[in-house]
Amino acid sequence: MKSQRIFAAIFFVALSSIVAHSQEGDSKIVMTIQDAVQTALENNISLKRSQIQLDATERTKKNSWNSVSPSLSVGGGFSKNNDNFAENYSAYIQASIGITLSTNLYSDIKDAALRYEAGEISYETARRTIEMNVRSAFYGLLYQKENISLQEQNLETTRALYQTNQRKYSRGAISEIDVLSSQVNYERNIPLLQNAQITHDKNLALFKQMLGLEQDAQIALSGNLDEIINSLKPNFNSKGEIENIHSFIENSDAKNLELAALEKNLEIAQNSLLASRFSAYGPTISAGWSYQPTWAKTPLTESSGPNDGGCLSLSVSIPLDGLFPWSQRGLAISSAKDNIKDLELQIQDKKTSVQVETQSAIQSIEQMSATLQTLQASERLAERTYQMTQEAYGRGTRNYTELLSAQNSLENARLSLKQQAYNIATQILNLENNLGIPFGTLLNAEAENSGE
C-alpha cells in the first residue's frame, strides 16, 4: 500500500509537471509585466464598473446648468352647456414659459465640476490599485515558479540519492538506516512539490480573473526574479543613489491619491458652504409669461374675437431665516464649516502619514537590499559547500547526513534569495503607490520588459 501511495504521488507530480510544461510550450499568450498590466486595464471588470460611474458624473457635469432651463407648457380646452348645447360654448388655447434664477446656480455648476474631478481621482485610484495588484501577483507567480523549479530539482536530487543508496546498500557499502533516511527525505519532497504546484495554479487562476481572461486561456509569464535583483543594484545599494531617490521624490509633481481625494473633498466642502450661504441669504428671481386666447358664446353674447387671458409675471424672494443661527439653514452653514475644519485636519494628518510611510519604506528597502547582498553571498557559499560535500560523499569521506545538511542549506539559501527579491519588489510597489508615481519608476526598465 505504501508503494502504491508513493507511485500515485510520483505520477501526480509528473503529470502536473508535464501539463504545466505542455501548456507553456503551446501558449499563445506570452506576457511581460507590462503586457499583463495593459490587459488588466482593458478587461478588468471592476475597472469597467468604475468607468461607468465616472461617465455618470461626467454626464451630470455637462448638464449641471439645467436648473436655468425654462419650463414650457401648452394646452387647450373646449366646453358646452348641456341645457343649451347649440348656444353655449367656450374654448381656449394656452401657452406659457417660465424661468427661475437663484444664486445657487453658480454653486450647483461648480459642485458638479468638482464631483467629476473627484470621480477622476477615484477612477485613477481604482486603476492604480488594479495595476499594483497585477504587478504584485506577477512577481508572486514568478516566485512560485522559481519555487516549483527548486522543488523539482530537490525531488530529482533526493530521488537520485535514494537510488544511489539502494545500490550502495546492495553492495554492502552503507547501512540500511542510510537507505531509509534517503527514502524518507525523498518522500518528504513529493508533497512539497505538489503543494507548490497547487498554490501556483490557484494564484494563476486568480491572476487570469484579474486580467479579465477566460480560465482556459494559456499564458506564460516572461521574466524572472533575478532580473529584479539586478535592477536593484543602481537604485538602492549606494548612498548616492538613495540621495537621488530622495531628490526625485521632492521634485516630483506626483501626489498620493488619497491625499488628492481629501483635497478635492475639501474643495467640495468649501463649495457646499457657499451653497448653504446662498440658500440662506441669496435671492431667487422668477419670471413667467403666458398667452391664453379664449373664445366664448352665451345666450346673451355673440362670439367675438378671442380674449387674451395670459399675463407676464415677475417675482423676487429673499429668505430671512438664515439670519437666525438656530434655523435649519443657519445650522446647515455651521455644519458645512465643521466639515471643512475636519477635512483640513485629515489633510494635515495624511501629509504627515505620507512622509512617514515614504521614509519608512525607503529605509526598509535599503535594509532589505543590504540583506539581499548577504543572501547572495550565502547562496554562493552554500552552493560551493554542497558541491564540495557531494564530491566528498562520492569519495566516501562524508556521510549521507552531512550531504543532506549541505543540500538543505543550499535549498534554503536559494529560496530565501528569491523570497527576498519578491519582498523587495512588493515593497517598492507600495512605495510607488504611496508617492503616486508611475509604477516601475524605481525599478530598472529591463526588469519589466526583458524575457526569460
Side-chain angles (χ1 to χ4, degrees):
M1 288 297 293
K2 185 175 182 180
S3 300
Q4 291 177 349
R5 288 197 301 270
I6 295 175
F7 177 77
I10 295 173
F11 178 77
F12 172 82
V13 172
L15 182 61
S16 299
S17 178
I18 291 173
V19 172
H21 286 88
S22 175
Q23 288 178 346
E24 290 186 4
D26 297 338
S27 174
K28 296 182 180 179
I29 306 176
V30 178
M31 287 188 171
T32 65
I33 193 169
Q34 296 290 3
D35 296 332
V37 168
Q38 187 61 35
T39 301
L41 295 181
E42 292 174 357
N43 301 322
N44 184 269
I45 298 299
S46 63
L47 195 59
K48 289 181 178 180
R49 294 179 60 193
S50 297
Q51 182 65 58
I52 293 174
Q53 296 174 357
L54 181 61
D55 292 342
T57 56
E58 183 180 20
R59 186 166 55 250
T60 301
K61 172 192 171 185
K62 290 181 178 179
N63 297 284
S64 59
W65 56 270
N66 59 9
S67 62
V68 299
S69 178
S71 59
L72 303 172
S73 65
V74 295
F78 179 81
S79 65
K80 278 183 173 292
N81 192 300
N82 288 334
D83 294 335
N84 200 350
F85 186 80
E87 297 296 330
N88 300 332
Y89 73 88
S90 66
Y92 72 92
I93 298 175
Q94 183 185 48
S96 65
I97 181 172
I99 188 171
T100 300
L101 299 175
S102 73
T103 49
N104 283 98
L105 174 61
Y106 169 78
S107 59
D108 289 344
I109 293 176
K110 187 175 181 180
D111 181 75
L114 290 174
R115 291 189 182 278
Y116 173 68
E117 293 170 4
E120 288 182 311
I121 295 174
S122 178
Y123 176 77
E124 181 62 19
T125 300
R127 184 182 180 279
R128 284 182 64 85
T129 299
I130 291 298
E131 181 172 355
M132 185 175 71
N133 290 341
V134 168
R135 289 174 179 271
S136 180
F138 191 97
Y139 294 143
L141 287 171
L142 289 182
Y143 168 72
Q144 291 159 18
K145 190 176 177 182
E146 296 275 6
N147 185 35
I148 289 174
S149 178
L150 286 176
Q151 295 297 341
E152 288 175 340
Q153 294 175 14
N154 294 340
L155 184 64
E156 178 58 28
T157 299
T158 54
R159 184 190 65 81
L161 288 173
Y162 174 44
Q163 293 177 342
T164 299
N165 283 350
Q166 285 181 316
R167 290 193 295 270
K168 287 184 177 181
Y169 175 70
S170 64
R171 298 194 305 268
I174 60 175
S175 66
E176 184 179 4
I177 189 68
D178 290 330
V179 178
L180 294 176
S181 296
S182 62
Q183 180 182 0
V184 169
N185 189 50
Y186 170 51
E187 294 176 6
R188 180 180 63 84
N189 279 278
I190 293 175
L192 294 178
L193 177 56
Q194 290 175 334
N195 292 335
Q197 186 66 57
I198 291 172
T199 299
H200 174 271
D201 293 344
K202 176 183 177 181
N203 290 333
L204 182 61
L206 295 174
F207 184 71
K208 291 179 183 179
Q209 181 182 11
M210 195 185 307
L211 267 58
L213 299 176
E214 298 293 336
Q215 286 299 309
D216 58 357
Q218 303 301 319
I219 65 175
L221 305 186
S222 175
N224 58 65
L225 293 176
D226 290 332
E227 295 162 357
I228 295 176
I229 295 173
N230 294 332
S231 72
L232 295 173
K233 293 181 180 179
N235 287 338
F236 294 98
N237 289 345
S238 70
K239 182 177 180 181
E241 293 298 336
I242 290 294
E243 292 176 352
N244 290 338
I245 290 177
H246 280 290
S247 177
F248 167 79
I249 292 172
E250 292 174 357
N251 297 323
S252 175
D253 294 331
K255 180 179 291 185
N256 178 280
L257 287 181
E258 291 183 16
L259 177 59
L262 285 173
E263 291 176 341
K264 189 58 63 178
N265 287 339
L266 176 60
E267 292 184 55
I268 294 174
Q270 291 169 337
N271 184 69
S272 179
L273 173 59
L274 181 62
S276 298
R277 285 171 171 165
F278 281 158
S279 297
Y281 311 122
T284 299
I285 302 173
S286 299
W289 177 79
S290 65
Y291 174 64
Q292 184 174 324
T294 303
W295 295 265
K297 180 180 180 182
T298 68
L300 300 178
T301 62
E302 293 292 333
S303 175
S304 60
N307 296 318
D308 186 2
C311 66
L312 174 66
S313 63
L314 294 172
S315 65
V316 178
S317 64
I318 301 176
L320 297 178
D321 54 345
L323 299 175
F324 306 105
W326 59 82
S327 67
Q328 183 176 1
R329 292 179 179 177
L331 291 175
I333 292 174
S334 297
S335 178
K337 290 180 180 179
D338 292 340
N339 191 31
I340 289 174
K341 292 178 182 178
D342 180 64
L343 285 168
E344 288 174 341
L345 291 174
Q346 290 186 53
I347 290 172
Q348 180 181 348
D349 184 60
K350 186 60 183 178
K351 287 180 178 179
T352 302
S353 296
V354 170
Q355 293 175 352
V356 171
E357 291 169 6
T358 298
Q359 184 62 33
S360 176
I362 291 178
Q363 291 175 347
S364 178
I365 294 172
E366 289 182 64
Q367 185 272 328
M368 286 192 292
S369 297
T371 303
L372 185 70
Q373 293 181 342
T374 302
L375 290 174
Q376 287 175 309
S378 298
E379 183 202 22
R380 291 191 295 268
L381 178 61
E383 185 173 8
R384 179 58 180 159
T385 300
Y386 174 69
Q387 291 173 351
M388 296 176 64
T389 305
Q390 193 174 36
E391 293 172 0
Y393 179 76
R395 296 192 301 268
T397 58
R398 289 288 186 273
N399 59 37
Y400 175 75
T401 302
E402 292 172 317
L403 179 62
L404 180 60
S405 177
Q407 180 193 4
N408 290 337
S409 297
L410 177 58
E411 293 171 6
N412 292 332
R414 287 175 174 172
L415 200 58
S416 296
L417 182 61
K418 304 300 182 181
Q419 178 71 58
Q420 187 74 349
Y422 169 71
N423 291 340
I424 293 176
T426 54
Q427 184 65 46
I428 290 176
L429 284 178
N430 291 330
L431 175 59
E432 290 171 334
N433 188 57
N434 187 57
L435 295 173
I437 61 179
F439 291 110
T441 301
L442 302 181
L443 278 176
N444 193 314
E446 292 181 359
E448 300 227 332
N449 297 318
S450 62
E452 289 181 307

